[in-house]
Amino acid sequence: MTGRLDSWVASANTPETDFPLNNLPYGTMRHESGQLHACVAIGDQALDVTAMAKDGFLDLPEEVFRSGVWNDFMALGPKTWQSFRDYLSGALSAGSDQKERLAPYLSPLETARLELPFTVTEYTDFYSSRHHAFNVGSLFRGPENALPPNWLHMPIGYNGRASSVVVSGTDIVRPHGQLKRPDEEMPVFAPSERFDFELELGAIVGQPSSGPVSVQQADDMIFGYVLLNDWSARDIQAWEYQPLGPFQAKATATTISPWIVTKDALEPFRTSTPAREKALLPHLRDAGPMLYDIKLEVGLAPMARAETVISRTNYSQMYYSAAQQLAHHASSGCPMRVGDLLGSGTISGPREDSRGSLLELSWSGQQPLSLTTGETRTFLEDGDTVTLRGAAVAADHRIGFGECRGTLRPARA
Amino acid sequence: MTGRLDSWVASANTPETDFPLNNLPYGTMRHESGQLHACVAIGDQALDVTAMAKDGFLDLPEEVFRSGVWNDFMALGPKTWQSFRDYLSGALSAGSDQKERLAPYLSPLETARLELPFTVTEYTDFYSSRHHAFNVGSLFRGPENALPPNWLHMPIGYNGRASSVVVSGTDIVRPHGQLKRPDEEMPVFAPSERFDFELELGAIVGQPSSGPVSVQQADDMIFGYVLLNDWSARDIQAWEYQPLGPFQAKATATTISPWIVTKDALEPFRTSTPAREKALLPHLRDAGPMLYDIKLEVGLAPMARAETVISRTNYSQMYYSAAQQLAHHASSGCPMRVGDLLGSGTISGPREDSRGSLLELSWSGQQPLSLTTGETRTFLEDGDTVTLRGAAVAADHRIGFGECRGTLRPARA
């Protein structure tokens, strides 16, 4: 494991920062002009890449960063991803002769207004944590029938709604939907009473495909990762999902963290998927370690009160990697495009306190969760703020994702 | 019912043409320069709108038609939709003084290379024909449990894959996928053996929403309609769809007809949904006739052999209108955007020969269908061409959709 790389941005040289020189995640901020600017996080600063490109600092055409989002850059491909990262690494490293040229492009992250770092082309959500699938399956069908028969053979997924993806910090309005209460004959249209979060990681497709791809090709197509909260209305889902799957239950909002952590930054933290209970078909077989050791946690804070960390888990728990998900996604010839977002599925670990949703943590509401404030929770209450955090952690530094946060507001009147 | 409006384009004044002056559907063609040009069909001619806008002929800024697709025009809203249609109706009508100015912008449809008329933002597919849902449910669960309990309360739908939408005439490659044969323990990855079409109508969302909308508001948001073939791999679907719905089974391709038939053109053909077995919740209740009397048919032609019309049905058979589908889609607060495409779901009528898929026509392969060539079909064979046709038919004219055609090519080696 490489040690921390030092930068002339002093705040980047601490064990606590999410953004040491080893990380260099890509984001988008609202410039004072109102325009979106692409930026890179380093310590407690944001480096304005759009302004640098405009001033002719970069080897890349100004147009690449004009929109302020990273899609056009992603489209340039892995060689450009590497050379740009190499440039930034050098220019921001301690002792670089670029310090005086670059310093004017830094501004404090604290006051940056961060926006979605890429235009989400299409959004797909998977279901690839075995612990999560087992927990949910046990709740609905009992432990002996928990895993559907296809689950060990392919990463089950469904198409989500790209228009619903929002950046961390965006308020979430409790949705209305059709609910069928168990003791009533007819459904009602009412605010969801079982609104939940889902702790996930999102993989961003950075290169297109027009036919099936191998797991290795799929891994090469992935540009980076974000934290992802797939807000879920359990009661809407229970009534609507047969026979065509989740629809409005998952369409209100999906929050992502504002920084794209690149595959390069995560490279030292690669881990393998677990031993396979059933051999995978060749086109989905592991082609090397394609999960990552990323520590994850979920904080829940009632309005104006202290946060309780209600779950701690790790992305390395997944049964299928994003590369396997993408290889499955493209297997029918489905065209994949730059900016497609693939949700991992809820990341639950083996322990009760490593579950990635309230559905699991409160066992479908049967076991209310105690918060440090003295309150309890089964599902989310108005005013609750959910914050996902994640980092790959080395001895003297961490590759952090920043926060993925949202506050639940009351349903529309 | 208004009679046929006569045009100075003589070919538009026949009972057989799909494109009389009453229609004026919007398309996109590849100009000899290689650029996409927006165009309007009139008789056997295409009117080049992008060129007209460039030459300053229109009241609208040139930029609106620069991309050649209709999204920017749709975004301008219903008043502009109306005024532009009024302009075209007048300028193309018999006796118009615009004939000499417009004639140079006409070119024969026969040689036009038509492309997708709009950029598909997101694609959603519904399941709103009661006959289809009953047939499919009967095949899988028996007639007594055919309709899922939610079906009479909401238009069931799932998110599809926008990247898979292609224009009529595009070849379709038989997909690979995971199949679980009934007599084998393990799934295989192989070409689909039960590849099918689905006869649908697609509604195009022309105005955005950021919260729930009423059925009337939803109808106002719809710009127009296309024919839609939701190619479906039944064997992939059977193995993958529990518990999250169809995914790769529907991701290979979805073909649409090249002409957007506007809501205005269809206005005289509005019809009501059927009597409701169970009252709908207020937000989904009918707010006027929002289906259309559109005759539909499906032709199947084996390679280099004559076509058999294998199904004849009507869009007026649907249980839910596109407006109801859209109102449901937005009910959770799901943001809807210009260019969203909503598939009606397979349109099956009550008779055996009015079913909209081979799954139903061959009763899941148990009753092979006879073609006029002497061949039979259960599911599609390589080389088969499927052509959907549709028109709202009046005494002396028809509002036609043009063809929605695709030929199935063999699976990749």
Side-chain angles (χ1 to χ4, degrees):
Chain A
M1 184 76 62
T2 319
R4 186 177 66 238
L5 305 171
D6 279 340
S7 169
W8 51 262
V9 180
S11 58
N13 305 329
T14 65
E16 311 84 56
T17 183
D18 267 358
F19 310 127
L21 186 58
N22 308 55
N23 193 348
L24 298 179
Y26 300 140
T28 294
M29 60 184 180
R30 182 77 58 185
H31 187 258
E32 57 191 17
S33 67
Q35 304 290 308
L36 298 180
H37 277 209
C39 60
V40 176
I42 177 78
D44 60 6
Q45 302 287 306
L47 181 71
D48 188 334
V49 173
T50 295
M52 287 171 65
K54 200 172 166 189
D55 293 346
F57 257 62
L58 304 177
D59 270 348
L60 295 165
E62 183 197 343
E63 297 78 61
V64 174
F65 297 108
R66 191 174 287 161
S67 70
V69 293
W70 290 81
N71 300 62
D72 291 341
F73 176 80
M74 288 194 269
L76 296 174
K79 283 188 184 165
T80 303
W81 306 349
Q82 186 64 56
S83 60
F84 183 67
R85 182 174 165 83
D86 289 347
Y87 161 75
L88 289 173
S89 275
L92 288 166
S93 70
S96 159
D97 59 5
Q98 299 291 303
K99 178 175 174 179
E100 286 189 23
R101 296 183 73 201
L102 262 61
Y105 296 98
L106 292 174
S107 63
L109 271 181
E110 201 177 4
T111 55
R113 189 169 142 205
L114 298 171
E115 304 282 355
L116 282 180
F118 66 106
T119 300
V120 181
T121 307
E122 296 196 65
Y123 166 48
T124 307
D125 195 28
F126 287 88
Y127 186 59
S128 293
S129 153
R130 183 161 184 174
H131 301 294
H132 172 71
F134 182 80
N135 289 338
V136 171
S138 296
L139 279 168
F140 291 117
R141 292 179 297 273
E144 61 290 343
N145 298 310
L147 279 194
N150 51 20
W151 201 93
L152 292 169
H153 297 282
M154 66 168 96
I156 296 292
Y158 66 98
N159 299 299
R161 183 77 192 173
S163 68
S164 75
V165 179
V166 297
V167 74
S168 178
T170 307
D171 281 351
I172 309 301
V173 177
R174 182 186 293 274
H176 278 68
Q178 275 203 27
L179 321 175
K180 172 79 162 57
R181 299 186 178 117
D183 52 342
E184 290 177 11
E185 201 195 333
M186 294 283 285
V188 296
F189 186 67
S192 169
E193 293 157 3
R194 290 162 66 93
F195 198 66
D196 200 357
F197 69 87
E198 289 191 342
L199 166 63
E200 303 194 18
L201 210 65
I204 301 158
V205 177
Q207 286 285 280
S209 66
S210 57
V213 299
S214 70
V215 171
Q216 182 61 57
Q217 286 170 323
D219 195 54
D220 293 343
M221 287 165 65
I222 294 171
F223 180 66
Y225 293 84
V226 290
L227 300 175
L228 186 151
N229 181 349
D230 178 37
W231 302 94
S232 298
R234 303 297 179 191
D235 39 7
I236 298 175
Q237 187 174 351
W239 174 235
E240 79 177 357
Y241 92 108
Q242 286 292 6
L244 300 184
F247 183 49
Q248 290 304 286
K250 304 278 197 168
T252 302
T254 301
T255 304
I256 63 171
S257 53
W259 298 106
I260 305 173
V261 176
T262 63
K263 210 169 43 181
D264 272 341
L266 293 169
E267 194 62 34
F269 302 90
R270 281 189 184 261
T271 60
S272 294
T273 51
R276 300 296 170 185
E277 187 176 321
K278 305 211 177 182
L280 292 172
L281 287 165
H283 70 296
L284 294 178
R285 227 163 260 170
D286 291 281
M290 293 182 185
L291 291 176
Y292 299 94
D293 179 1
I294 299 171
K295 293 187 201 307
L296 300 162
E297 64 172 46
V298 183
L300 194 162
M303 199 178 336
R305 304 199 67 179
E307 177 186 284
T308 304
V309 173
I310 58 173
S311 182
R312 287 188 176 85
T313 183
N314 197 301
Y315 179 62
S316 63
Q317 295 289 342
M318 302 303 285
Y319 195 80
Y320 294 106
S321 66
Q324 287 169 316
Q325 293 172 338
L326 178 50
H328 176 57
H329 207 322
S331 65
S332 67
C334 177
M336 303 304 298
R337 296 183 293 187
V338 173
D340 283 342
L341 173 64
L342 310 185
S344 60
T346 306
I347 304 168
S348 292
R351 299 186 321 276
E352 288 195 13
D353 61 356
S354 62
R355 294 168 175 167
S357 68
L358 282 172
L359 178 68
E360 294 162 88
L361 288 161
S362 77
W363 210 245
S364 194
Q366 299 164 37
Q367 300 167 14
L369 201 66
S370 294
L371 305 182
T372 53
T373 56
E375 295 164 83
T376 61
R377 281 294 177 279
T378 50
F379 292 94
L380 293 173
E381 300 193 3
D382 291 345
D384 283 355
T385 295
V386 176
T387 306
L388 314 184
R389 297 185 193 86
V393 180
D396 61 352
H397 69 283
R398 38 191 281 136
I399 305 295
F401 282 75
E403 285 184 348
C404 178
R405 196 180 71 251
T407 299
L408 183 62
R409 301 300 177 193
R412 289 179 173 84
Chain B
M1 185 76 62
T2 319
R4 187 178 67 238
L5 304 171
D6 279 340
S7 169
W8 51 262
V9 180
S11 57
N13 305 331
T14 65
E16 313 82 58
T17 182
D18 267 357
F19 309 128
L21 186 58
N22 309 54
N23 193 349
L24 297 179
Y26 300 142
T28 294
M29 59 185 180
R30 182 78 58 184
H31 187 259
E32 57 191 18
S33 66
Q35 303 290 308
L36 298 181
H37 278 209
C39 60
V40 176
I42 177 77
D44 61 6
Q45 302 287 306
L47 182 71
D48 187 333
V49 173
T50 294
M52 288 171 65
K54 200 173 166 191
D55 293 346
F57 257 63
L58 304 177
D59 271 348
L60 295 165
E62 183 197 343
E63 298 78 64
V64 173
F65 296 107
R66 191 173 290 161
S67 70
V69 293
W70 290 81
N71 299 61
D72 291 342
F73 176 79
M74 289 195 267
L76 296 174
K79 283 187 184 167
T80 303
W81 306 348
Q82 187 65 56
S83 60
F84 183 67
R85 182 173 166 83
D86 289 346
Y87 161 73
L88 289 174
S89 275
L92 289 167
S93 70
S96 160
D97 59 5
Q98 300 291 303
K99 178 176 174 179
E100 286 190 22
R101 296 184 71 203
L102 263 61
Y105 296 98
L106 291 173
S107 63
L109 270 180
E110 203 178 2
T111 55
R113 189 168 141 205
L114 297 171
E115 303 283 355
L116 281 180
F118 66 106
T119 300
V120 181
T121 306
E122 296 196 64
Y123 165 48
T124 308
D125 195 28
F126 287 88
Y127 186 60
S128 292
S129 154
R130 183 160 183 175
H131 301 293
H132 172 69
F134 182 80
N135 288 339
V136 172
S138 296
L139 280 168
F140 291 119
R141 292 178 298 273
E144 60 291 343
N145 298 309
L147 279 193
N150 51 20
W151 201 93
L152 292 169
H153 297 283
M154 65 168 94
I156 296 292
Y158 67 98
N159 298 299
R161 181 78 192 172
S163 67
S164 75
V165 179
V166 296
V167 74
S168 177
T170 307
D171 280 351
I172 309 302
V173 177
R174 181 186 294 273
H176 277 69
Q178 274 202 28
L179 321 176
K180 172 78 161 57
R181 299 187 177 115
D183 51 343
E184 290 177 11
E185 200 196 333
M186 294 284 285
V188 295
F189 185 68
S192 170
E193 293 158 2
R194 290 162 65 94
F195 198 65
D196 200 356
F197 69 88
E198 289 191 341
L199 166 64
E200 303 195 18
L201 210 66
I204 300 158
V205 177
Q207 286 283 280
S209 66
S210 56
V213 299
S214 69
V215 171
Q216 183 60 58
Q217 287 170 322
D219 194 55
D220 294 342
M221 287 165 64
I222 294 171
F223 180 67
Y225 292 84
V226 289
L227 300 175
L228 186 151
N229 181 349
D230 179 37
W231 303 94
S232 298
R234 304 297 178 192
D235 39 7
I236 298 176
Q237 187 174 352
W239 173 235
E240 78 176 358
Y241 91 109
Q242 286 292 5
L244 300 184
F247 183 49
Q248 289 305 287
K250 304 279 197 168
T252 302
T254 300
T255 303
I256 63 171
S257 53
W259 298 106
I260 306 173
V261 176
T262 64
K263 210 170 40 182
D264 272 341
L266 293 169
E267 193 64 33
F269 302 90
R270 281 188 184 261
T271 61
S272 294
T273 52
R276 300 296 170 185
E277 187 175 323
K278 305 210 176 182
L280 291 172
L281 288 165
H283 71 296
L284 294 178
R285 229 164 258 169
D286 291 281
M290 294 181 183
L291 290 177
Y292 299 94
D293 178 1
I294 300 171
K295 293 188 201 307
L296 300 163
E297 65 173 45
V298 182
L300 195 162
M303 200 178 336
R305 304 197 67 179
E307 177 186 285
T308 305
V309 173
I310 59 173
S311 180
R312 287 188 175 84
T313 183
N314 196 302
Y315 179 61
S316 64
Q317 295 288 343
M318 302 303 286
Y319 196 79
Y320 295 106
S321 66
Q324 286 168 316
Q325 293 171 338
L326 179 50
H328 176 57
H329 207 322
S331 65
S332 67
C334 177
M336 304 304 298
R337 297 183 292 188
V338 173
D340 284 342
L341 174 63
L342 310 184
S344 60
T346 306
I347 304 168
S348 292
R351 299 187 320 277
E352 288 195 12
D353 62 356
S354 63
R355 294 168 175 167
S357 67
L358 282 172
L359 177 67
E360 295 162 86
L361 288 161
S362 76
W363 210 246
S364 195
Q366 299 163 38
Q367 299 168 14
L369 201 66
S370 294
L371 305 182
T372 53
T373 56
E375 294 164 83
T376 61
R377 282 295 178 278
T378 50
F379 292 94
L380 294 172
E381 299 193 5
D382 291 345
D384 283 355
T385 296
V386 176
T387 305
L388 314 183
R389 298 185 191 87
V393 180
D396 61 353
H397 69 283
R398 39 191 282 137
I399 306 295
F401 282 74
E403 286 184 347
C404 179
R405 196 180 72 250
T407 299
L408 182 61
R409 300 300 175 191
R412 288 178 175 84

